[in-house]
Amino acid sequence: MRLPHVVEALHQRRDAALKGDLAAQAVDTMRDLMAPTTPAATRYNAARWVLEHAGHKIADESADLDSNPSFEEMDAEELSQAVASGMQALRDLAEQLQDHHVVDGQARRLQTVGPPAPSEMETDTDFLQ
């Protein structure tokens, strides 16, 4: 690693791998991460990464957060509106998730499972044997 020609050869090999097979694998991975079955936050981050690296300017989310006053800076009416807005968002989410449960960030519909049919149940005599 001290010899310049060895270091240069390693850099060339790494660059060739990054620009070839590894780049294609990275693109495939990002495509997989944007699949509908992937949790929403992961899909969002993957899409954002792809867009940014494709040269698209993404608005800085922290700038939006800075423009909103903190709770300490709000008056009673603003606090009341913020609470009402948050409660409405929670009601909307609860409505969307009604009859669902969440697994790995994905809402899944609940299915009612009844008792097994009598033919599927073991009889007492089968149990005792």
Side-chain angles (χ1 to χ4, degrees):
M1 292 299 297
R2 293 183 191 155
L3 301 174
H5 70 282
V6 172
V7 172
E8 180 62 28
L10 290 172
H11 285 282
Q12 287 176 357
R13 187 171 181 183
R14 182 196 64 208
D15 288 345
L18 288 172
K19 292 176 183 174
D21 292 343
L22 290 177
Q25 285 178 337
V27 169
D28 289 343
T29 299
M30 296 311 280
R31 185 176 291 118
D32 291 344
L33 289 174
M34 291 188 294
T37 56
T38 303
T42 303
R43 285 195 324 267
Y44 169 81
N45 287 325
R48 184 180 174 107
W49 185 92
V50 168
L51 289 171
E52 286 176 346
H53 286 84
H56 299 280
K57 176 75 174 130
I58 306 295
D60 185 13
E61 292 173 350
S62 64
D64 292 340
L65 294 175
D66 292 340
S67 65
N68 294 329
S70 68
F71 291 126
E72 293 84 13
E73 298 171 327
M74 292 182 182
D75 62 24
E77 180 62 27
E78 291 171 322
L79 282 170
S80 177
Q81 289 175 353
V83 169
S85 174
M87 292 301 293
Q88 184 60 48
L90 287 173
R91 281 190 293 277
D92 292 346
L93 180 59
E95 187 176 308
Q96 291 173 14
L97 293 177
Q98 187 174 2
D99 298 326
H100 289 75
H101 66 283
V102 178
V103 177
D104 294 331
Q106 299 292 312
R108 309 289 170 106
R109 181 166 291 284
L110 293 175
Q111 294 181 356
T112 304
V113 178
S119 62
E120 296 174 8
M121 295 178 60
E122 294 182 14
T123 64
D124 289 341
T125 56
D126 290 339
F127 176 73
L128 295 175
Q129 292 178 354

